[in-house]
Amino acid sequence: DEWYGVKQMASDLKELVQHLRENWKLERFHLLGHSFGGAVGYEFLKRQTENRNGSDRSSPQCLSFILSNASTNFEWSSSEQKRLFQEFQLQQLQTRMPVKQQQTKNLSIQEQFFQTHICRTPEKPVGLESALNRRHKQWSANDYAISAADTSTQFPPVLIIRGECDFVTQACTEGWREVFEGQNGYKELVIKDSAHYPHFEKPEAYSYEIEQFCSTAERP
């Protein structure tokens, strides 16, 4: 599989939206970008809003933008994941269980970390495991960091959402506030007792917050 950059994926997303407009008469939509998808969504939306503010008003209107577990700088989130793993490993060594209990636990340190800071479910969700298995082995986004939009650019209402235990920590998402704070409808939310995949870990709470935010954005 050939690796696409963020901006190339944003162009692909633009083509998809235009396809939906032409074939499904799409006029308005909500945009949710999870993790790396948040960066793709941002680059797409930045271009679209700048074009709509100018001469191009033919594109469908984005009513709201949800950035879910998305870092503004992927090198930072990678560093945070490594830092958390080192702290987690040290903690496990300091509180080592008796051998018999370790054997019944039957989870490696990597698997325990995964269940703590990546996906806090007893079993790895089938959909997530399938997606991770299909990921290109050489794939990396560590060279991506957001670039600020023009100050005159008006975005739709924006929701920044992350998990309480996510390796994408608050430090990784603060940059979004600098871009969007002051825009109408800006909101930040932390899902308790969840990590990087709250839609698998806390589906009811996650769905409720998304539905509430989109419903508010649809009001005149």
Side-chain angles (χ1 to χ4, degrees), residues 132-146:
L132 293 175
N133 288 338
R134 292 199 306 272
R135 185 173 61 184
H136 195 283
K137 302 303 181 184
Q138 301 302 317
W139 183 87
S140 173
N142 281 357
D143 58 348
Y144 176 78
I146 64 167

Side-chain angles (χ1 to χ4, degrees), residues 88 111-120 165-166 194-195:
F88 185 84
E111 290 170 327
Q112 292 178 52
F113 179 81
F114 189 94
Q115 288 191 343
T116 302
H117 290 292
I118 299 180
C119 187
R120 295 169 69 88
C165 306
D166 195 354
S194 71

Side-chain angles (χ1 to χ4, degrees), residues 96-108 112:
R96 185 179 294 278
M97 296 179 297
V99 175
K100 288 184 179 179
Q101 286 183 273
Q102 289 182 24
Q103 292 173 344
T104 57
K105 185 77 172 177
N106 200 30
L107 287 176
S108 68
Q112 292 178 52

Side-chain angles (χ1 to χ4, degrees), residues 74-86:
F74 281 79
E75 186 175 0
W76 291 351
S77 54
S78 179
S79 296
E80 283 292 86
Q81 184 172 359
K82 291 175 183 178
R83 177 185 66 81
L84 289 170
F85 180 76
Q86 290 172 351

Side-chain angles (χ1 to χ4, degrees), residues 51-103:
N51 290 337
R52 288 183 67 88
N53 290 342
S55 58
D56 182 13
R57 296 182 177 274
S58 62
S59 300
Q61 179 187 5
C62 182
L63 296 178
S64 73
F65 182 34
I66 298 102
L67 280 155
S68 177
N69 309 82
S71 177
T72 59
N73 185 312
F74 281 79
E75 186 175 0
W76 291 351
S77 54
S78 179
S79 296
E80 283 292 86
Q81 184 172 359
K82 291 175 183 178
R83 177 185 66 81
L84 289 170
F85 180 76
Q86 290 172 351
E87 292 178 359
F88 185 84
Q89 193 172 35
L90 179 61
Q91 183 182 31
Q92 295 303 301
L93 289 173
Q94 292 174 341
T95 59
R96 185 179 294 278
M97 296 179 297
V99 175
K100 288 184 179 179
Q101 286 183 273
Q102 289 182 24
Q103 292 173 344

Side-chain angles (χ1 to χ4, degrees), residues 35-51:
S35 194
F36 180 70
V40 175
Y42 171 70
E43 292 295 335
F44 159 77
L45 190 58
K46 183 173 67 170
R47 295 183 197 179
Q48 191 199 50
T49 51
E50 288 172 348
N51 290 337

